[in-house]
Amino acid sequence: METKGNGNAASGRMVIDSISKSYGMGPLRQKVIQDCSFTLEPGKLTVLIGPSGCGKTTIINLLAGYEEIETGSISIDGKPVKGPGGDRLVVFQETALFPWMTLMQNVTFGPRMRGGRNSREIEGDALSLLQKVGLGDFRDKYPTQLSGGMQRRAELVRALINSPRVMMMDEPFRGLDAMTRELMQEYYIRLFEEHRITNLFVTSEIEEAIFLADRLVIMSYRPAQVRTVMEINLPRPREFSMLTSKEYLQYKKDALEILHEEAMKAFSTGTATCVADFLEAYSEIEEKK
Amino acid sequence: MQIPSAKPKGDAVLAEITNFEAMAFRLKQWIKSPRPYLMVAGLLLFLAVWYMTTELFKLPRFEKLPGPVAVIREWLSEDPSYGISIYVSEYYLHIIKSMMRVFEAFGLATLLGVPLGLFMGWKKVFRDYTFPIDETLRPIPMLAWVPLAILMWPAREAAIVYLTFLAAFFATTLNTLLGVESIDEVYFRAARCLGSKPRHIFFRVVVPGALPYIFTGLQISMGVAWFSLVAGEMLAGEYGLGYLIWNSFVMVQYPIIVIAMVTLGFIGWASSAAIRFVGALLMKWKVREVSP
Ligand SMILES: Nc1ncnc2c1ncn2[C@@H]1O[C@H](COP(=O)(O)OP(=O)(O)O)[C@@H](O)[C@H]1O
Ligand SMILES: [Mg+2]
């Protein structure tokens, strides 16, 4: 695909500087995000990980401009972010393909809305991207006629075709079965390594996080703060065979120790809802050792 | 490792079945199932009970009612004793008159109700202006409108169409509004972040997203339109199936009442089916065919 938009490896640096957000009114008011700071480096894949309910989706909504920050600032390439804009594209947690459009109409929606190019050109781009994720034969199907994994891939393409400066993925593979998930990770990492658009990937799965990330941002439990930032120096292109390498296992152990601490903290304050996931994940690695 | 090619694991090959083959298959399955035979049996049972109560045993309370034999004989007679059968042009005049009225009222209700509902759902301010009025007027039974309708429209014809229109209009507007509200916020967000302007969102998200509810609304609207039409025609008509029913009652031509009732049943069913058909054409995406 030609890069016609504004995305390339040199731009798309997003700086998030001590942002905060609260929900609720009066005595029910609760701080969900507190003084959160991290940076998305141009052309790098940053993974945001934290227990469910800690505020990851909230952070995405703030970065995308759907909701307003209370304090702090967000900027892209030096310019402050105000409201939603085409330079940041979100792939939502739940599927957001328009059910009334075919796959092709969905994927070409962004370029058609922005105008300026003829539709044959757009469709050519769309088709080559669809083929890359194995959906070339399904261009005229409607989303309900596709499996969950295929829908997620189509959404990936629908965002990517616009060459945004920053792509944000909110737990995009959640709810897929293990095999489909693995396949999705593979498609995703290949597309990323080819296009090198700045990416923010949100997940609560540690293996997925380390496999994908250049940089891992670990969130604390409520109010969400950045607990640790880990640079993941595994070579690219990433291969599944790395999942057994010594470096990978060390990263995983370090990350899990931090997450475990956070889970225990949440547990002791009695606010934990989904701590079980983390204790389970943690005990898993303990057993493997 | 390579980028997986066109048909990766996990995606079964999609079986291409043509529409015709699928239809033939469904028909075969249907004939094999007990459903068609139960339907015929149910109909026969109904006719039998009707025949026995009215014509065979002439039970008290049923004795005055026309029986199936009398009705069918009259309906199919070339020289009907009460003047209405499938060979008499007046029969079709009544049908056409009723259908025209419903068509006018339903058409007007759709032309006004759908855009109104869409705007009410789309622009909250507009909705806040109109919703309380709509909610208060809607539950008023159509018969309660009769005197006002006659005061407003001294010509009977207009009064009947007006009554029919009102009922259809409220049903259409409300369902369209609900349709817009049923659209998940995530589609608006997706459309906006992909660069849509408000008018794009209206035509590409609001309208298609509300379509399933709109068509549910149109079906309800068609039902209440026939309901109000017959009520109106009974009170003030000169032609039409409602008028025919009432007039035959007054003139003691009982078999005609049943002929007109059954005719109403068939036309009502056909108009509903027509709406479903158009809906299915416009909403191909609702049909979930062979899924991989
Ligand atoms: N619009 C909202 N109003 C009130 N509370 C909210 C809202 N959105 C999220 N929250 C609360 O903020 C917390 C973080 O939610 P979320 O960002 O969805 O977490 P995550 O994506 O990490 O699972 C949750 O406890 C949730 O109940
Ligand atoms: Mg979330």
Side-chain angles (χ1 to χ4, degrees), chain A residues 53 56-58 93 170-171 174 202:
Chain A
K56 302 184 295 298
T57 300
T58 307
Q93 196 166 331
D170 189 6
E171 303 199 49
R174 185 183 189 157
V202 165

Side-chain angles (χ1 to χ4, degrees), chain A residues 263-272:
Chain A
M264 290 313 281
K265 243 190 268 168
F267 201 60
S268 64
T269 53
T271 49

